[in-house]
């Protein structure tokens, strides 16, 4: 009996409708895209788009027309021409939004950074002596005036500030106290850092205090419990290899209830008595008191310096409102050791960052930080001001605004600062229904607008929308609602 014949193989998919690369390259050149993003980037984008269409056809989907493919490729290239790092309108109400670049800068800081970037500066040149100068001296004087520290130095972020502080102070103790144990020779083991179990924190991006300790060449000694640590716990842990008592401020979460933390002043007294360094990782340091703004009592840098820590480490790009930086302020002996450590060169900041930091510090020295620094201007905005701004957005939307509402809400400081603390605001609530899709359309706008969802509605908080961005926000909302 003859076996049945196999059915004929399906014809191969027709790929002839795919336009040639040179045709798409010519179209991109006519649209000015080659001039904007370069020949190589355009060719790479065309090939990637054509490969995507080719794979779709091979998977059985119908082939678009050559004109449709050309429009798709040009749209993709136009998107690429905008660049991957773009300005966005932050309408989330989160003042220091890590994913959106943290602290926006004052106009004076931006101008100072532009001037530093446009030409040469005396970054490491002493104009008076006509010879090499001190890169770190530019910011040290204003930092010492503002914080009360004996000395200060700037590195690229607070994580590196903490790591550098531990590494620099690990080798030798400070001037030793009357009860100090003799210094230990290196072969006897790793130097030790004592820290409370309740302060072994992890911050954004998986940055963990225990990992920093290990990378700095220290042995970690945990004391106390998660919720209660006393001075006697630190005293019992001090041994011949102990070099540093580390305090870590819980700036991105809170412990409440049956809780006790050893005050920094008590750690300083123990450190002086036993000849140990005391390092305070303050995290998001503030130079202004936070209680007047309804934010509770966040410790200021000045308070921690007065408590006597050898080094206080804090961020420049959070509540300080400056470019990204890590600042170490405290006793001169400790800062000098930091400056001399080999890691200092790897972690130093450039002239542009220093220029922005200096301009920001000048706002504090002139007493104008609240009105000049965007972070503090946003924090200080009153609910009445914010309601008026949200109402103006609603009115500017015309017919679309009739479907929106101005409602009370809460804004957060964010950026690992002041956890669980919010302040009252008013938001523009967009029409209900499919909030995720509406947020996506807003993010695809020009400029992108980032909001949040509350009770199944997209809401836009004016607290974090920069002055001058209102018209762009209204245009983006109108376009998103019309789609």
């Amino acid at each position: 009996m003859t076996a049945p014949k196999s059915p004929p193989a399906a014809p191969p998919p027709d790929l002839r409708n795919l336009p040639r690369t040179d045709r798409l390259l010519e179209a991109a050149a006519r649209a000015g895209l080659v001039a904007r993003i370069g020949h190589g980037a355009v060719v790479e984008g065309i090939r990637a788009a054509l490969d995507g269409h080719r794979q779709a056809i091979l998977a059985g989907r119908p082939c678009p027309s050559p004109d449709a493919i050309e429009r798709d490729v040009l749209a993709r290239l136009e998107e690429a021409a905008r660049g991957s790092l773009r300005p966005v309108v932050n309408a989330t109400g989160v003042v220091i939004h890590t994913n959106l670049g943290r602290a926006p800068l004052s106009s004076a800081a931006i101008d100072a950074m532009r001037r530093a970037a446009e030409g040469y500066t005396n970054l490491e040149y002493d104009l008076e002596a006509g010879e090499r100068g001190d890169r770190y001296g530019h910011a040290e004087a204003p930092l010492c005036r503002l914080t009360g520290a004996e000395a200060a130095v700037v590195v690229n972020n607070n994580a590196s500030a903490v790591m550098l502080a531990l590494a620099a102070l690990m080798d030798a103790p400070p001037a030793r106290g009357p009860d100090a144990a003799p210094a230990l020779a290196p072969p006897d083991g790793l130097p030790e850092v004592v820290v409370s179990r309740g302060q072994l924190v992890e911050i954004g991006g998986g940055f963990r205090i225990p990992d920093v300790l290990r990378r700095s060449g220290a042995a970690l000694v945990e004391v106390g419990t998660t919720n209660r640590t006393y001075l006697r716990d630190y005293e019992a842990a001090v041994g011949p290899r102990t070099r540093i008592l580390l305090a870590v401020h819980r700036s991105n979460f809170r412990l409440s209830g049956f809780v006790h933390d050893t005050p920094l002043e008590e750690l300083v007294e123990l450190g002086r008595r036993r000849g140990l360094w005391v390092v305070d990782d303050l995290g998001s340091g503030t130079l202004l008191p936070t209680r007047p703004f309804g934010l509770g009592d966040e410790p200021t840098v000045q308070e921690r310096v007065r408590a006597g820590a050898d080094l206080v480490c804090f961020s420049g790009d959070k509540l300080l409102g400056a470019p990204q930086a890590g600042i170490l302020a405290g006793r001169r002996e400790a800062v000098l050791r930091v400056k001399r450590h080999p890691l200092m060169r790897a972690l130093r900041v450039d002239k542009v960052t220093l220029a922005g930091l200096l301009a920001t510090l000048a706002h504090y020295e002139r007493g104008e930080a609240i009105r000049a620094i965007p972070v503090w201007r946003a924090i200080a905005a009153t609910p009445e001001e914010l309601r008026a701004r949200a109402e103006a957005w609603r009115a500017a939307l015309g017919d679309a605004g009739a479907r929106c509402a101005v409602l009370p809400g809460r804004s957060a400081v964010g950026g690992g600062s002041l956890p669980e603390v919010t302040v009252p605001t008013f938001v523009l609530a967009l029409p209900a229904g499919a909030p995720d899709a509406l947020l996506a359309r807003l993010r695809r706008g020009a400029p992108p607008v980032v909001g949040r969802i509350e009770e199944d509605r997209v809401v836009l908080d004016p607290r974090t929308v920069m002055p001058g961005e209102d018209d762009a926000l209204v245009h983006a909302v109108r376009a998103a609602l019309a789609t």
Side-chain angles (χ1 to χ4, degrees):
M1 187 172 181
T2 305
K5 293 183 179 180
S6 301
D14 187 359
L15 301 176
R16 288 174 297 179
N17 277 342
L18 287 176
R20 292 170 56 87
T21 299
D22 55 359
R23 166 186 166 172
L24 298 175
L25 184 58
E26 291 174 3
R30 289 194 301 272
L33 291 163
V34 174
R36 291 165 63 189
I37 62 177
H39 181 274
V42 168
V43 171
E44 182 179 294
I46 290 172
R47 288 174 177 168
L50 287 176
D51 186 61
H53 284 291
R54 185 177 295 109
Q55 296 303 321
I57 295 167
L58 292 172
R61 289 193 286 274
C63 180
S65 69
D67 289 342
I69 293 176
E70 180 179 312
R71 289 193 297 270
D72 173 66
V73 169
L74 293 179
R76 295 188 191 202
L77 292 173
E78 184 65 41
E79 180 74 9
R82 296 184 186 181
S84 61
L85 183 63
R86 305 179 195 170
V88 304
V89 176
N90 177 12
T92 65
V94 180
V95 178
I96 306 171
H97 200 305
T98 298
N99 302 131
L100 301 183
R102 290 188 178 164
L105 304 179
S106 71
S107 57
I110 294 169
D111 289 342
M113 295 171 79
R114 182 182 297 112
R115 289 194 300 272
E118 285 175 344
Y120 298 101
T121 71
N122 63 328
L123 177 65
E124 287 188 2
Y125 187 76
D126 187 328
L127 293 173
E128 189 67 28
E131 58 188 28
R132 181 167 183 163
D134 179 14
R135 170 191 297 254
Y136 310 111
H138 298 287
E140 186 166 32
L143 282 170
C144 290
R145 287 193 297 267
L146 288 166
T147 66
E150 294 177 358
V153 68
V154 182
V155 293
N156 59 352
N157 60 29
N158 190 53
S160 61
V162 175
M163 184 176 70
L164 181 57
L166 298 178
L169 302 183
M170 204 67 65
D171 296 336
R176 308 201 48 93
D179 300 333
L184 189 70
D188 291 327
L190 290 174
E192 295 175 347
V193 175
V194 182
V195 62
S196 168
R197 285 188 175 89
Q199 296 175 0
L200 292 174
V201 301
E202 176 181 324
I203 61 174
F207 175 83
R208 293 182 171 186
I209 289 297
D211 295 337
V212 175
L213 291 173
R214 283 190 288 271
R215 293 292 186 273
S216 63
L220 171 65
V221 178
E222 304 175 26
V223 298
T225 63
T226 301
N227 59 320
R228 294 175 77 80
T229 303
Y230 298 92
L231 181 64
R232 62 177 180 268
D233 298 316
Y234 290 93
E235 289 182 303
V238 173
R241 292 199 299 268
T242 306
R243 289 291 180 269
I244 298 173
L245 303 177
L246 175 64
V248 182
H249 179 54
R250 291 186 289 267
S251 58
N252 61 353
F253 75 101
R254 293 199 187 282
L255 289 178
S256 59
F258 195 56
V259 173
H260 179 81
D261 283 314
T262 303
L264 182 60
E265 291 82 356
E266 293 185 9
L267 282 185
V268 169
E269 188 278 330
L270 175 61
R272 298 289 182 270
R273 179 159 41 88
R274 301 298 300 272
L276 305 172
W277 299 106
V278 178
V279 175
D280 181 30
D281 176 11
L282 189 53
S284 176
T286 176
L287 297 178
L288 297 180
T290 52
R291 178 166 288 279
F293 304 97
L295 300 176
D297 287 319
E298 181 77 357
T300 65
V301 177
Q302 300 93 307
E303 291 168 348
R304 307 299 271 191
V305 169
R306 282 197 300 269
D310 294 294
L311 287 176
V312 179
C313 306
F314 58 101
S315 294
D317 54 332
K318 293 185 179 180
L319 287 172
L320 189 66
Q324 178 176 299
I327 299 169
L328 303 96
R331 294 179 59 218
R332 184 171 290 105
E333 179 187 3
V335 173
L336 282 175
R337 288 178 183 264
V338 167
K339 288 181 177 180
R340 293 169 182 162
H341 194 275
L343 273 177
M344 185 70 225
R345 184 173 180 84
L347 302 175
R348 68 185 185 181
V349 293
D350 70 339
K351 62 180 181 179
V352 177
T353 299
L354 278 174
L357 175 60
L358 286 168
T360 304
L361 294 174
H363 291 313
Y364 288 95
E365 296 212 82
R366 293 193 293 262
E368 61 187 26
I370 294 174
R371 66 176 182 275
I373 297 177
V375 162
W376 285 103
R377 188 171 60 227
I379 290 173
T382 66
E384 293 74 21
E385 294 169 340
L386 299 170
R387 176 163 53 187
R389 201 170 176 194
E391 290 285 6
W393 294 349
R394 183 173 179 269
L397 286 171
D399 293 340
R403 297 183 288 134
C404 301
V406 174
L407 304 173
R410 307 288 298 185
S411 305
V413 175
S417 307
L418 301 160
E420 300 180 354
V421 176
T422 60
V423 289
T425 187
F426 279 87
V427 299
L428 179 68
L430 302 186
D436 291 318
L438 180 53
L439 272 183
R441 292 198 296 275
L442 287 168
R443 293 195 303 269
R444 289 194 294 266
V449 174
V450 183
R452 67 178 192 261
I453 296 175
E454 287 185 359
E455 298 181 359
D456 205 37
R457 297 182 74 169
V458 173
V459 299
L460 307 176
D461 191 335
R463 185 179 296 278
T464 50
V465 177
M466 299 288 288
E469 291 182 338
D470 297 71
D471 289 345
L473 179 137
V474 169
H475 175 79
V477 171
R478 188 183 292 117
L481 293 178
T483 302

